[in-house]
Amino acid sequence: MWLGPEEVLLAGALWVTERANPFFLLQRRRGHGKGGGLTGLLVGTLDVVLDSSARVAPYRILHQTQDSQVYWAVACGSSRKEITKHWEWLENNLLQTLSIFDNEEDITTFVKGKIHGIIAEENKNQQPQSEEDPGKFKEAELKMRKQFGMPEVEKLVNYYSCSYWKGRVPRQGWLYLTVNHLCFYSFLLGKEVTLVIQWVDVTQLEKNATLLFPECIKVSTRDSELYFSMFLNINETFKLMEQLANIAMRQLLDNESFLQDKSLPKPRKPLKNISALKRDLDARAKNECYRATFRLPKDECLDGHTDCTLWTPFNKMHIPGQMFVSNNYICFASKAEEACHLIIPLREVTIVEKADSSSVLPSPLSISTKSKMTFFFANLKDRDFLVQRISDFLQRTPSKKPLSSDREWKWSLVSVFIFQEVPELPSSSPLAVSPTSALNNRPANFCAGEVPTASQGLLKLFRRNSEELLGPKGAKEKMKEESWNIHFFEYGRGMCMYRTTKTRELVQKGIPENLRGELWLLFSGAWNEMVTHPGYYADLVEKSMGKYNLATEEIERDLHRSMPEHPAFQNELGIAALRRVLTAYAFRNPTIGYCQAMNIVTSVLLLYCNEEEAFWLLVALCERMLPDYYNTRVVGALVDQGIFEELTREYLPQLSEKMQELGVISTISLSWFLTLFLSVMPFESAVVIVDCFFYEGIKFILQVSLAILDANMEKLLQCCDEGEAMTILGRYLDNVVNRQSVSPPIPHLHALLTSGDDPPLEVDIFDLIKTSYEKYSNLKADDIEQMRFKQRLKVIQSLEDTAKKSVVRAVSSDIGFSIEELEELYVVFKAKYLMSCYWGNNRAAAARRDQSLPYLEQYRIDMEQFKELFIALTPWSCGAHTPVLAGRLFRLLDENRDSLINFKEFVTGMSTSPQDYRYYLRMWAKEKESKKETIKDLPRMSQEQFIELCKTLYNMFSEDPVEQELYHAIATVASLLLRIGEVGKKFSNRPIRKSEDCKTNSSQDPVSEEESPTSEQSQNSTVEQQPQADREDKTCRDVQPEKTEQENQALGDGSGEGQGSPLQLLSDDETKDDMSMSSYSMVSTGSLQCEDIADDTVLVGCEGGSSAARYGSTIDTDWSISFEQILASMLTETALVNYFEKKVNILQKIKDQKKVERQFSSSSDYELSSVSG
């Protein structure tokens, strides 16, 4: 490329001049290309260690004048072809003009101006793109592409200088982190190290320090462990590697997520030497942390944050912390953990004003809300800019009044419900007296649109009269409510409440039943999504009504299993509400649809919330608080199960070994985590667990689980098997009681499984919660997220290994490969599919992956990908004819004609089992015995197709060690078959249809060559996959007298096939066409000569002048042969049989293919100059 002229003082240092004229020099870097000697090795090492641009641009052009010692670099190139193009342009356009100048300074000024003009013209249309990444980074990206053969769509994220430990010797070089790959390159004194690893193959990432590897990063795959060290900023590098590996895991887990991760927003302000993609990934990580901290919707993007102080009226203090501003929220987090959190939705903001500064309160900012609350921030560094940003976001905030935004959180104890399309009834209405009586007075019409909907939580509608409300428990409940009312008065109520340690303490004591739904919505963040999406749930219910799919079937099956012991779900009101919520979510998120355990959680949500609130709580659970828990493979639950095992090893090391030995953790954790203990604890106790979960998140579930194991440690250590351990834990959980509950006890079905002679002691749920905080409160949310990443790698890679084994088992019985070979082929096949996701955005394979399909159908490749694998792995190298042969085989394997093949179809095409043709011969013999008059078989081959078959075979045998023997054998077979076809015409009886009719049909329905791979690979099992329709599609049917069968058999015996080799009746389906397999048009008569088979081929043994004349002049449309005749004739030649029975080491081919997979294809670095200077 052209360079802005740069001054070069030493033109000969480390460079060799190849061409020169009075004004320019073309130079090559020493050591580049062939040769170079010791100097080349030293120069190459220097270029790599110092990250010299000469590594990527080893050619350059200098401008010089005769009397000046100063040179100017005007162009550089990565290949001889590129630099020669620039050189020729200079010679053709500037040399003659420069010779006119007398003054050398004028010459230099003219050249520099001309080069600047060329660069400006080239960059005119690329200006926006050129500003996106800094020049130094573009140079590194060019090096990466050249060194590792990556296409332009593979984006470099960042690169780092480091050492790769090969054995005990560090190799200094450069680590390139791209969106899909980890690459490393080192060149030291002639020893080159090149590593390319896909992120989807990484099974573990660790940052550790040992005596051997000081502060290093360990990258583990299924096959190897790699160590990198000597980073300038190891924390930044490791964090970025984690992010990229996490994106890769999302690709394997969910194809849509992968596509979303690829579309990253553009940065606002470019920074020096940092790629736009790196900045975007950093912003993505901050966004995720911000949303998780404040439980905000998934589409919320952080705009910025700044240090400040917040005046807290409840303790009359200025608390230091950080203010976060995003599209729809202003948030505050104190520096002291849990001292104070604050969330202010912009939809609630009424006034933002700058107050007067003072020495005590510099740069104050006042924000007022609709709920009459005012928040004072101070010590803002750039207050004016911050106010402007908030003002901009406020202008974009929708002005329409969201649904229920004016709600004052009044929760009446009166039982109130409404009917769909009926206005809300006042509490004094007769319908409010009893939900059951209201239902009885209404006509019993429970069709989809008439089922009643509860306007409040079902617990309030179905609460039985309880004496507990008037006793000590009722008084305790009133005290709790009063405590919360005092808290609301001091700290605020609603979304803008100050959240402090006092709030957490109140939650730990249990939320009053009347406030439970309100506070669940606030703490989970579901309230934000509900008020910003008015009418969304109602629309989903309407759209999903009356529609049926697999999810709705599963929902119907589980409806009556959801808390059947509770009266709310023993009638149509509760069941209908549960049905609508679950079905609406299944239509909102078809990726998840419905998973068992969702029904249990949702039924509890409906007890305390109305339908819409329960729906948004379910959204918060499934999509934010418990990510990936409820998909088809419960990946999220398995990830947190891995975290639980890791925490057990850390906090309960003695018990951990025993639990692993018994295999208990994997059993208990899924049931505990998926249902939030609702299925294993009495309802009154489990709902307190849910209270704390909505406030603390998964951290609380983990610490309670540890407390439960700790409480049962002695008994568990004495267990002999898994059943005994499960019984101990089951009995313990069943006796966790809530003595403060005002609701009547609900029978717990789990108790039936945990009965025993000695009833265990009851455990108070609040004591259990207190113990969990005392012993395990040091668990941090950030640490858990870090552990989730680590476990996600293990879980998803384990699931992928399971999928691989499942697929291999499914195909191993039908294919001639070993299990090991099939597993290696699966890895190559899957990698080829993933390449289409990385680099082939328009390919159908990338767009059609469906996680709900069986493992065998999830990965499919198209014809172009199949051709690449065919060329790399099959033993038949046909030169330029290879893509044609690969295309024929692909079309034969693609039975459903969707231009995609799965793994089973792929390995069927790759199989080289010599038993296939023998099996076919046995089947053929059985057909001959049972059917003597007509035989349904593969379509007969025309003369044109036979010639194409011969061409393919000649190409296949090229460069084979026994090439001449194979040529002689195929020439013999071809001549024999030509005579068989010619003789067969004489015995054909054609009384009904004339040959002209057949010619007309064949011209209208072109005969395909695609059946030829069947004969080209006679050992291939694909011959059995020929569609039956193809066999029955006949354009010409001939009547053959019975007596000709013996004559044909005699002819076969006399033509060298051997006594036992059967021949098909030559009259059956002679000119059969196959439209479904057509890819070539039938050539017109006389257009294809016999000499077209090969330039140097002579068909030996062709006696008979008339026959020779016919073969040499035109295509004979009456001539045809059957597959059996081709197969039997080829089996007479030992050389051909040995060729096709030759066993190929597919594992070695896969290994070789991996080595050269990403090698740069250009040979320009080593080509000799054809026009030397």
Side-chain angles (χ1 to χ4, degrees), residues 869-1080:
L869 291 176
F870 182 87
I871 293 170
L873 301 178
T874 55
W876 310 299
S877 56
C878 308
H881 202 63
T882 305
V884 177
L885 180 57
R888 293 174 184 167
L889 182 55
F890 180 87
R891 289 187 290 270
L892 185 65
L893 296 172
D894 183 19
E895 291 185 355
N896 59 0
R897 300 291 184 262
D898 64 349
S899 300
L900 297 169
I901 61 171
N902 61 28
F903 180 68
K904 184 174 183 179
E905 292 167 335
F906 168 71
V907 292
T908 299
M910 293 291 106
S911 176
T912 54
S913 170
Q915 302 300 322
D916 291 342
Y917 74 87
R918 297 172 186 170
Y919 168 80
Y920 187 81
L921 285 175
R922 289 196 300 271
M923 295 300 295
W924 177 30
K926 290 179 181 178
E927 286 189 5
K928 290 290 292 181
E929 292 174 3
S930 59
K931 296 184 179 181
K932 296 194 177 289
E933 295 184 0
T934 60
I935 299 177
K936 306 267 188 193
D937 213 323
L938 295 175
R940 297 178 66 83
M941 182 174 284
S942 68
Q943 192 176 74
E944 181 190 9
Q945 293 168 334
F946 175 69
I947 292 172
E948 285 295 326
L949 169 62
C950 292
K951 285 184 183 180
T952 300
L953 292 172
Y954 273 104
N955 281 293
M956 286 170 63
F957 301 151
S958 176
E959 300 181 7
D960 194 89
V962 290
E963 178 182 8
Q964 292 304 318
E965 293 180 28
L966 290 169
Y967 280 159
H968 179 77
I970 198 59
T972 304
V973 168
S975 301
L976 175 61
L977 288 169
L978 283 170
R979 285 183 295 183
I980 290 175
E982 189 66 22
V983 172
K985 286 167 50 182
K986 298 177 182 179
F987 287 88
S988 296
N989 187 12
R990 317 174 72 85
I992 301 175
R993 294 182 178 87
K994 297 183 180 180
S995 60
E996 286 78 12
D997 296 335
C998 294
K999 291 179 183 178
T1000 304
N1001 290 338
S1002 63
S1003 63
Q1004 292 173 351
D1005 300 311
V1007 179
S1008 168
E1009 306 168 333
E1010 293 182 22
E1011 59 269 33
S1012 56
T1014 309
S1015 51
E1016 293 158 14
Q1017 304 161 58
S1018 56
Q1019 81 285 0
N1020 201 308
S1021 63
T1022 58
V1023 296
E1024 300 170 37
Q1025 301 177 2
Q1026 189 68 26
Q1028 292 295 329
D1030 293 344
R1031 302 178 182 179
E1032 296 173 3
D1033 179 21
K1034 302 176 181 179
T1035 57
C1036 299
R1037 181 179 298 275
D1038 306 310
V1039 179
Q1040 172 70 17
E1042 239 177 59
K1043 63 178 182 179
T1044 59
E1045 181 182 345
Q1046 297 175 354
E1047 297 170 356
N1048 288 335
Q1049 183 64 49
L1051 172 65
D1053 294 340
S1055 58
E1057 290 183 342
Q1059 186 174 352
S1061 298
L1063 275 174
Q1064 181 176 348
L1065 299 179
L1066 294 172
S1067 59
D1068 284 341
D1069 307 337
E1070 279 188 10
T1071 55
K1072 185 182 297 182
D1073 293 339
D1074 184 4
M1075 280 295 293
S1076 65
M1077 302 181 64
S1078 175
S1079 62
Y1080 297 92

Side-chain angles (χ1 to χ4, degrees), residues 290 294-297 300 324-332 342-352 367-371 373 375 377 390 393-394 397-398 402 405 409 493-499 521-522 525-529 531-532:
Y290 169 64
F294 299 103
R295 306 275 171 81
L296 299 177
E300 195 64 23
F324 301 85
V325 179
S326 60
N327 306 7
N328 301 292
Y329 298 89
I330 299 171
C331 300
F332 174 85
L342 179 65
I343 303 170
I344 308 173
L346 292 182
R347 64 178 181 271
E348 298 288 332
V349 174
T350 55
I351 300 173
V352 178
I367 299 177
S368 301
T369 66
K370 296 175 183 177
S371 57
M373 295 182 70
F375 304 95
F377 298 90
I390 295 175
F393 289 131
L394 280 171
T397 303
S405 63
W409 298 100
R493 189 168 188 174
M495 189 55 65
C496 299
M497 173 174 53
Y498 294 97
R499 306 176 193 207
L521 285 165
L522 285 181
W527 177 251
N528 285 321
E529 293 185 282
V531 298
T532 53

Side-chain angles (χ1 to χ4, degrees), residues 559 562 569 574-583 599 602-603 606:
L559 282 177
S562 308
F569 297 99
I575 294 296
L578 182 59
R579 177 188 294 115
R580 281 191 293 270
V581 173
L582 290 174
T583 306
N599 59 320
T602 307
S603 61
L606 280 167

Side-chain angles (χ1 to χ4, degrees), residues 162-224:
C162 69
S163 291
Y164 162 61
W165 291 81
K166 192 171 184 180
R168 298 197 175 189
V169 181
R171 300 297 182 93
Q172 184 65 27
W174 290 87
L175 182 71
Y176 298 90
L177 305 181
T178 73
V179 173
N180 302 301
H181 298 85
L182 178 152
C183 309
F184 176 82
Y185 180 77
S186 173
F187 181 86
L188 292 176
L189 300 179
K191 292 187 176 180
E192 190 175 50
V193 176
T194 304
L195 297 173
V196 178
I197 299 170
Q198 293 186 61
W199 289 117
V200 291
D201 292 334
V202 173
T203 57
Q204 191 174 13
L205 277 176
E206 287 183 298
K207 184 178 65 174
N208 49 30
T210 64
L211 293 175
L212 184 59
F213 304 117
E215 198 179 29
C216 68
I217 295 176
K218 175 184 173 184
V219 181
S220 302
T221 66
R222 291 178 178 84
D223 306 321
S224 59

